[in-house]
């Protein structure tokens, strides 16, 4: 990762540093080819969720394991199919994709308990398993906020997506 291309946004720099191994992986980069919400790709969505998670923890003054939260947030939607395609017959996508994302992530990365909990339970309350860690609660909140903003194509979310594109993420 070329850290010289990253704007001097401390949160963005921290996100890139803590998640470098995930961001540099070929599989993570392949998420650029899947639309997540509106015109936002799954890769961009994962970046937004990660960025928002760090900002929420900072704003609330919550002490978290930042590396685990960043890696879990980046991998929370790490499944390799287009959930919009009716041909893939994933009718229960909202209920099953967290487990699929975790299985895919475990095939490629060594994950600690917090990272696994973030990925497995980010769809709470749709998935009824209660989050075990504060990092999971924060990522779950950030995921919902990001999804709503992306769906309505807010100017702020589109600005952030363009910022990621400018720095080569």
């Amino acid at each position: 990762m070329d850290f010289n291309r990253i704007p001097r946004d401390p949160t963005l720099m921290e996100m890139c540093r803590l998640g470098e191994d995930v961001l540099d992986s070929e599989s993570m980069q392949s998420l650029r080819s899947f639309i997540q919400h509106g015109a936002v790709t799954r890769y961009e969505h994962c970046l937004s969720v990660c960025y928002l998670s760090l900002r929420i923890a900072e704003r609330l003054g919550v002490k978290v394991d930042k590396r685990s939260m960043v890696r879990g947030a980046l991998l929370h939607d790490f499944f390799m199919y287009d959930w919009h395609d009716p041909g893939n017959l994933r009718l229960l996508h909202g209920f099953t994709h967290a487990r699929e994302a975790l299985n895919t992530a475990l095939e490629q990365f060594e994950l600690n308990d917090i990272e696994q909990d973030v990925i497995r339970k980010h769809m709470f309350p749709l998935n009824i398993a209660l989050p075990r860690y504060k990092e999971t609660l924060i990522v779950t909140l950030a995921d919902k906020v990001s999804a709503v903003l992306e769906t309505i194509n807010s100017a702020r979310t589109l600005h952030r997506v363009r910022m990621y594109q400018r720095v080569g993420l």
Side-chain angles (χ1 to χ4, degrees):
M1 176 167 298
D2 183 2
F3 286 95
N4 293 322
R5 294 180 62 191
I6 301 169
R8 296 298 168 219
D9 175 334
T11 304
L12 184 59
M13 292 177 66
E14 183 173 42
M15 179 179 93
C16 291
R17 181 178 55 80
L18 295 172
E20 185 173 14
D21 63 324
V22 173
L23 290 167
D24 285 346
S25 76
E26 190 175 312
S27 295
M28 184 67 183
Q29 293 299 315
S30 74
L31 297 183
R32 293 175 185 269
S33 65
F34 298 104
I35 294 297
Q36 186 72 359
H37 304 116
V40 176
T41 68
R42 187 166 317 135
Y43 180 81
E44 293 162 340
H45 169 71
C46 290
L47 291 175
S48 291
V49 169
C50 185
Y51 185 88
L52 284 172
S53 295
L54 286 168
R55 298 291 298 179
I56 289 168
E58 178 185 323
R59 290 271 171 107
L60 295 178
V62 178
K63 249 180 126 42
V64 295
D65 176 340
K66 288 183 180 181
R67 183 172 190 275
S68 295
M69 188 172 73
V70 162
R71 293 179 86 236
L74 290 172
L75 295 168
H76 81 281
D77 279 340
F78 195 63
F79 53 91
M80 302 301 166
Y81 61 86
D82 180 358
W83 65 274
H84 300 92
D85 180 3
N88 69 31
L89 297 176
R90 286 187 165 83
L91 302 174
L92 299 174
H93 166 78
F95 296 97
T96 62
H97 80 272
R99 184 176 58 248
E100 291 196 40
L102 178 59
N103 290 338
T104 305
L106 285 169
E107 290 171 4
Q108 298 180 44
F109 299 99
E110 190 171 316
L111 303 175
N112 66 31
D113 290 344
I114 295 172
E115 294 161 349
Q116 290 183 45
D117 197 67
V118 166
I119 299 165
R120 182 185 304 114
K121 298 175 182 174
H122 79 274
M123 286 302 291
F124 180 82
L126 191 57
N127 291 352
I128 58 172
L130 291 171
R132 182 173 175 195
Y133 302 99
K134 55 192 166 194
E135 293 84 356
T136 307
L137 287 170
I138 291 170
V139 172
T140 299
L141 173 61
D143 182 45
K144 305 313 174 253
V145 169
S146 186
V148 168
L149 293 175
E150 291 162 5
T151 301
I152 62 173
N153 292 317
S154 83
R156 186 173 183 186
T157 300
L158 291 175
H159 170 76
R160 186 176 304 119
V161 166
R162 289 185 189 115
M163 176 181 67
Y164 295 143
Q165 290 170 339
R166 278 197 310 272
V167 300
L169 290 175

